Amino acid sequence: MVKEELTKNSPLRILEKATHGGLGKGNIAVIASRRGIGKTACLVHIATDKLMRDKHVIHVSFSSRTDHILDWYEDIFREISQKRDLENAMEVHDELVKNRVIMNFNQDGVSMDQVLNSVKAMIENGQKGTDAIVVDGYDFTKNNDGNVIAKVKNFAKEMDLEIWFTDSYEGEVVQEGAIPSNLKCCEENLSVIMVLKNEGDVMNLNLVKDHGNEIKEDLSLILDSKTLLIARK
Amino acid sequence: MAKDIAKMRNIGISAHIDSGKTTLTERILFFCNRIHAIHEVRGKDGVGATMDSMELEKERGITIASAATNVQWKNIDINIIDTPGHVDFTIEVERALRVLDGAILVLCSVAGVQSQSITVDRQLKRYNVPRVAFVNKCDRTGANPYRVADQLREKLNLNSVMMQVPIGLEEKHEGVVDLITMEALYFDGDENYAVRKAEIPSELQAEAEEKREIMLDALSMFDEELMELMMEEADIPVEVINRAVRKGTLDLELCPVFLGSAYKNKGVQPLLDAVENYLPCPTDIENKALDLDNDEAEVILEADNGKAPVALAFKLEDGQYGQLTYIRIYQGEVKKGSELYNIRSKKKFKVGRLVRMHSNNMEDITEAGAGDIVALFGIECASGDTFVQNGMNLSMTSMFVPEPVISLSIEPKDKKASDKMAKALNRFTKEDPTFRTYVDEESNQTIVQGMGELHLEVYIERMKREYGAEVTTGAPQVAYREAISSSVDFNYTHKKQTGGSGQYARVAGRMEPMEEGEYEFVSEIKGGVIPTEYIPSCDKGFQSALDKGSLIGHPIVGVKMTINDGQYHAVDSSDQAFQTAARAAFREAYMKAKPVILEPIMKVSVEGPSEFQGNIFGSINQRRGIIIGSTEEGAMCTVEAEVPLSEMFGYSTVLRSSTQGKAEFTMEFAKYSKVPTSISEELVKAFQEKNKNK
């Protein structure tokens, strides 16, 4: 299978369809779940899908070391390329690497302003034409006044790119279709919110906010418990 | 007699350049009564510091190679490895770190944790080396040891705990308050050599008590008795505190901080006590060897004199009386007259003279036990070699040596320099397996090869200073490789039948690219279409074509040659004919197999203040580099990237000027990868031009 065909059939296209054409530049999306369910894998899968469509991605991490994240990318890429029998996998891989940068921050010592400045410096000097930023491990319970995310939203607009966050909520039972409480203060600036939940044996990916649209139907997407890839139900 | 292992310390002194590391070492030697006068690094007496024995070091005031020296402090035996501090010699640092059990991390009280401190600390962490910190230069203007302790916590993520409080700072720096014994220590005897104990000055009493509380709180995690005594608010014996500090330090969960000014002889003796009390002895540390019979699996060594000896040669030095080899004994005893086996060269040798080194002086001994660092005389070996008892097959280091990626032609200025140059090259290649040399047949020039521009520069400089060999150098050349990118069939007939004995051979088969390995030959000849005796000739012929590729004349790698057909002539075929046919077949097929040029890619890591990260990103981007990632912590950022070596020439200057000298970089070889088409075309053009002019 060639790269184009592979991405055309990706389950992520379902997500795009459900969200009326995808997240779109200038917007922020959040994937929320409890700890240890597979948010990072989701995020890496989304980033890899973008890379495979020749887009440029910056991965911002607040939680792990660079080599740890690289391992995630390698694993996810291997899963996708082997399962779908990708042609010229090595060459595709090398191309992806060129379009991806990982930036690692310590949230305790670094303010969001500083992070955005660094990302801007990276885009201007190292990764021109970045299409998307994925942010992993950001703690939404800290600086919880909504202003920080408003700045991120402005940044997304100014730089003309999409931003994907993960959010970890702990000790809260999030009701069907509800937004986790730690995101409520900045909800106005989040265009798409998804909740990843363990329901019985499967991990369902549910859309709880879709730009301003009413959510009519189930996404029918799950997270495969073995490969940690987003898949059809 | 072998020494008591529990009383042995093997320590290193690591620091950022110019933190006063060599000065501190000098003072330690002095207080341990090993030298009789103190010479400054840049002293006016022209003697230079004792540890800096190389001429070059004296001139530049920096320490390049590590020397080992043995001192006695009270009843403790300390081997000090003086490690190089400059960023470009990290290979030397790493080699020295392997043989250490503990380290003193020296920091400047004004500059604090600098970029090189971070690098050094990372190396210490990698080798799990417990450390104590010494905040030096407390007599300097702007000295602030508290800030340095905070930086240790923030920037190096160390659980730093002040063990002392300074009595006065800057020009008023007189001594320290020991927070364990709650005594003031003054260093104001005859030229400050004696320690005078006194009561804590009243103005410092409150501060000392406060800092002692903080210290005890931090220590309580490591000792239950200490915690209980604290809860009971009882007096805490010094031994209990020392036990807690030692446990925390050995577990790498605590970094005790000491203060002073080595230059002014302040705080050195308490630091030596700390080495005794808190740094590990050889049995506290687990050392591993690699079992070569078992796929380099790890084997734990025991610092036990009764076991079979295992030792690592970590440093060679040319002494007045021949080659001196520094070894660290990990297991067993090494005795004068006994026999050892060198794993790399697979040769037995007899231990002749065994000496204990004090920088440039030595003491003859008859045996040395596990954990000790000593030197051997006149042993034929290279740095990094492992010595074991005959019959064992263990190695302390991986046998993998990376191929050099850069080369330089050198030419002696005159006949005299020529002999000296040969001697120097012989020595350097033994010291450093990544430094190589050969004579290019075409140009008859001597070529040296190494792992980077600076790597070679240092050797050229050492050649001049240590051996008096003046040489002129050519421009650095990147070690390109050539490879093929597709499979092709070949069928070539070599025929020469015009007078005299003729030549006839035909070879046919397939040429294929190979991911791993350099060259493979497969024969699928059936029915004797090529006689058996001529099949090796084909192999030889192919191999002779590998040396110089047709694109730019660099070696070809990753080719699999299969022969499956051919023809011979009863009279005119010969070994020579088949070799010629094979070589020509290779050349013809090679050009059809879409040959490409491969270039060495370096893994580059740049460290600098965050405000310059845009410049750093830019500088990598301009050099065809791929930024892999960046890490930002506090005000510092580290950028990791992969950059072609050919683009890295002169990078240090560019980086320095674009970051006001505040960023530093290290690089190591990562892999070979394909050169982009535009650059590949230029290289081919340049090669053709060069050949035309011949």
Short mmCIF file of all heavy atoms in Angstrom, two decimals, chain B residues 688-694:
data_model
loop_
_atom_site.label_atom_id
_atom_site.label_comp_id
_atom_site.label_asym_id
_atom_site.label_seq_id
_atom_site.Cartn_x
_atom_site.Cartn_y
_atom_site.Cartn_z
N GLN B 688 35.78 14.78 -10.88
CA GLN B 688 36.16 14.67 -12.28
C GLN B 688 37.17 15.74 -12.67
O GLN B 688 38.11 15.48 -13.40
CB GLN B 688 34.92 14.75 -13.16
CG GLN B 688 34.10 13.45 -13.11
CD GLN B 688 32.70 13.63 -13.66
OE1 GLN B 688 32.25 14.75 -13.90
NE2 GLN B 688 31.98 12.52 -13.83
N GLU B 689 36.97 16.95 -12.14
CA GLU B 689 37.92 18.04 -12.38
C GLU B 689 39.31 17.63 -11.93
O GLU B 689 40.30 17.80 -12.64
CB GLU B 689 37.51 19.28 -11.58
CG GLU B 689 36.31 20.02 -12.13
CD GLU B 689 36.64 20.75 -13.41
OE1 GLU B 689 37.68 21.46 -13.43
OE2 GLU B 689 35.89 20.61 -14.41
N LYS B 690 39.35 17.08 -10.72
CA LYS B 690 40.62 16.72 -10.10
C LYS B 690 41.34 15.67 -10.96
O LYS B 690 42.54 15.75 -11.18
CB LYS B 690 40.34 16.17 -8.69
CG LYS B 690 41.55 16.24 -7.76
CD LYS B 690 41.19 15.76 -6.36
CE LYS B 690 41.92 14.48 -6.06
NZ LYS B 690 41.37 13.76 -4.92
N ASN B 691 40.57 14.71 -11.46
CA ASN B 691 41.17 13.65 -12.26
C ASN B 691 41.68 14.16 -13.60
O ASN B 691 42.68 13.69 -14.12
CB ASN B 691 40.15 12.53 -12.49
CG ASN B 691 40.15 11.55 -11.34
OD1 ASN B 691 40.89 11.77 -10.37
ND2 ASN B 691 39.35 10.52 -11.44
N LYS B 692 40.94 15.14 -14.14
CA LYS B 692 41.33 15.71 -15.43
C LYS B 692 42.69 16.39 -15.32
O LYS B 692 43.52 16.31 -16.20
CB LYS B 692 40.27 16.75 -15.85
CG LYS B 692 39.94 16.67 -17.33
CD LYS B 692 39.08 17.83 -17.75
CE LYS B 692 37.61 17.57 -17.44
NZ LYS B 692 36.80 18.81 -17.60
N ASN B 693 42.89 17.04 -14.18
CA ASN B 693 44.13 17.81 -14.00
C ASN B 693 45.35 16.94 -13.76
O ASN B 693 46.46 17.44 -13.71
CB ASN B 693 43.97 18.77 -12.82
CG ASN B 693 42.93 19.81 -13.14
OD1 ASN B 693 42.63 20.04 -14.31
ND2 ASN B 693 42.35 20.42 -12.11
N LYS B 694 45.12 15.67 -13.57
CA LYS B 694 46.26 14.81 -13.24
C LYS B 694 47.16 14.56 -14.43
O LYS B 694 46.68 14.41 -15.54
CB LYS B 694 45.74 13.48 -12.69
CG LYS B 694 45.81 13.50 -11.18
CD LYS B 694 45.41 12.16 -10.62
CE LYS B 694 45.18 12.30 -9.14
NZ LYS B 694 44.54 11.13 -8.60
#
